[in-house]
């Protein structure tokens, strides 16, 4: 188990970002880059993280960054990784992309890079909407959540990107949450020890988009895990291991209502949708437990 004291003190996300107060994305990025270290190139499509890095020629990131079009991050990373490996360089190539760029606009490029066995880490930071352009619904928006394009609540379920990635049989993939930095740091470190494509999917609560008070980001992230609506696990060469916080939630989950209530995006959610969410949590727990047990 990683403890906070073992996480490097070097900062690669500097204090001059223009991120919103309480931004779960910037918190996650901080630990991703601490795990990756200085010999890293960050590939970043359009999104919140690209927006709050600063205005050229200044940047808030103390690492090389390739800013790339929304749909092209994984394709760009494929070319960059191939070039570096041909030159005998072990520089880490890390894509850091939002849910819109991953689940929707860039999905074909992501699939192609994983099918080609690109040697890179793809990180999806998931604030469950298009946060940078006003919080429109994405494929990652959960059912019942209000966005600017689903003002009555999204009627469709959240797209299961982790199962899509698992179908490509990467050597390593994991889920994480910005509210659990030690778990996140360890999983990113581990992902970067593998050759080939690896994937880390991070829940990053968003105060303005989710409509909660900015100081509650860590609390909301932990409630997501403790209620089971966000499960933490890792899959190494096809073998699934459920992370400790989710194992605890499987035994005694926090009521889902405690997670939903502080968020304005779920204001007025009907009981049938809450029941559907609870049913999906129970089914996901069942499925994960069965896979971990090998059955």
């Amino acid at each position: 188990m990683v403890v906070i004291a073992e996480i490097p003190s070097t900062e690669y996300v500097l204090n001059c970002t223009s991120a919103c107060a309480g931004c779960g994305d910037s918190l996650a990025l901080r630990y991703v880059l601490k795990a990756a270290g200085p010999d890293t190139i960050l590939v970043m499509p359009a999104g919140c993280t690209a927006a709050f890095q600063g205005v050229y020629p200044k940047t808030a990131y103390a690492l090389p960054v390739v800013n790339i079009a929304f749909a092209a991050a994984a394709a760009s990373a494929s070319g960059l990784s191939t070039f570096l490996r041909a030159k005998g360089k072990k520089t880490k190539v890390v894509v850091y992309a939002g849910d819109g760029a991953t689940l929707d606009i860039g999905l074909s490029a992501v699939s192609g890079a994983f099918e080609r066995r690109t040697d890179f880490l793809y990180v999806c930071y998931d604030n469950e909407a298009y946060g940078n352009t006003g919080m429109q619904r994405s494929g990652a928006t959960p059912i019942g959540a209000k966005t600017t394009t689903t003002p009555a609540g999204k009627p469709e379920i959240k797209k299961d990107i982790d199962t899509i990635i698992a179908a490509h049989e990467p050597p390593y993939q994991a889920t994480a949450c910005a509210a659990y930095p030690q778990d996140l740091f360890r999983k990113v470190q581990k992902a970067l020890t593998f050759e080939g494509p690896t994937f880390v999917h991070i829940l990053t609560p968003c105060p303005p988009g989710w409509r909660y008070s900015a100081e509650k980001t860590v609390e909301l992230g932990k409630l997501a895990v403790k209620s089971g609506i966000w499960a933490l696990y890792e899959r190494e060469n096809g073998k699934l291991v459920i992370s400790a916080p989710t194992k605890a939630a499987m035994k005694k989950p926090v009521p889902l209502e405690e997670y939903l209530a502080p968020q304005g995006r779920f204001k007025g959610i009907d009981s049938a949708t809450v029941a559907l969410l609870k049913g999906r949590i129970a089914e996901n727990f069942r499925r994960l437990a069965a896979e971990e047990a090998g059955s």
Side-chain angles (χ1 to χ4, degrees):
M1 175 182 175
V2 174
V3 297
I4 287 291
E6 295 173 342
I7 296 177
S9 60
T10 304
E11 297 290 349
Y12 301 99
V13 179
L14 307 180
N15 292 331
C16 53
T17 75
S18 56
C20 302
C23 176
D25 168 17
S26 61
L27 178 61
L29 179 62
R30 183 182 177 213
Y31 288 98
V32 167
L33 295 185
K34 282 176 175 287
D39 190 18
T40 300
I41 297 177
L42 200 59
V43 181
M44 190 181 298
C48 291
T49 320
F52 65 63
Q53 69 181 304
V55 179
Y56 180 84
K58 297 180 180 180
T59 179
Y61 306 145
L63 287 169
V65 179
V66 177
N67 287 283
I68 198 68
F70 227 145
S76 176
S78 286
L80 181 58
S81 175
T82 300
F83 168 79
L84 289 168
R85 301 303 173 258
K87 291 289 186 179
K89 295 183 180 294
K90 296 182 179 180
T91 300
K92 304 173 190 76
V93 177
V94 177
V95 171
Y96 193 80
D99 50 284
T102 304
L103 281 73
D104 301 335
I105 297 173
L107 183 58
S108 62
V110 174
S111 178
F114 274 74
E115 188 269 332
R116 289 190 300 272
R117 316 313 290 169
T118 296
D119 186 20
F120 77 146
L121 167 61
Y122 193 106
V123 176
C124 174
Y125 64 92
D126 189 352
N127 59 17
E128 299 188 322
Y130 287 85
N132 182 47
T133 52
M135 222 59 190
Q136 299 88 0
R137 61 89 82 194
S138 79
T141 304
I143 190 169
K146 294 180 172 68
T147 70
T148 55
T149 50
T150 57
K154 184 187 173 192
E156 301 90 8
I157 61 171
K158 176 168 180 160
K159 187 184 296 184
D160 187 356
I161 187 63
D162 300 301
T163 297
I164 293 170
I165 293 295
H168 294 75
E169 300 183 4
Y172 183 83
Q173 72 176 109
T175 59
C177 178
Y180 292 84
Q182 297 103 311
D183 179 71
L184 168 58
F185 177 85
R186 181 188 65 79
K187 286 173 176 173
V188 171
Q189 267 199 329
K190 189 171 184 179
L192 288 166
T193 65
F194 290 86
E195 184 177 346
T198 55
F199 185 80
V200 177
H201 187 189
I202 310 170
L203 183 69
T204 55
C206 172
W210 294 14
R211 307 177 202 173
Y212 66 84
S213 185
E215 76 276 6
K216 293 184 177 293
T217 289
V218 171
E219 178 185 339
L220 260 294
K222 290 191 173 182
L223 282 171
V225 173
K226 290 178 180 179
S227 66
I229 202 166
W230 187 265
L232 300 177
Y233 61 86
E234 55 192 324
R235 187 180 284 111
E236 181 177 343
N237 293 317
K239 174 62 177 175
L240 182 97
V241 176
I242 302 168
S243 304
T246 291
K247 286 202 170 184
M250 293 168 83
K251 293 178 180 177
K252 190 177 181 181
V254 166
L256 180 62
E257 290 82 357
E258 291 187 25
Y259 170 70
L260 301 177
Q263 302 179 58
R265 64 176 180 157
F266 288 114
K267 185 177 181 180
I269 189 171
D270 61 80
S271 58
T273 304
V274 174
L276 176 61
L277 286 168
K278 288 181 177 180
R280 293 186 64 81
I281 290 169
E283 172 58 23
N284 192 42
F285 279 172
R286 184 205 63 76
R287 180 178 59 82
L288 290 174
E291 183 179 346
E292 186 180 52
S295 58

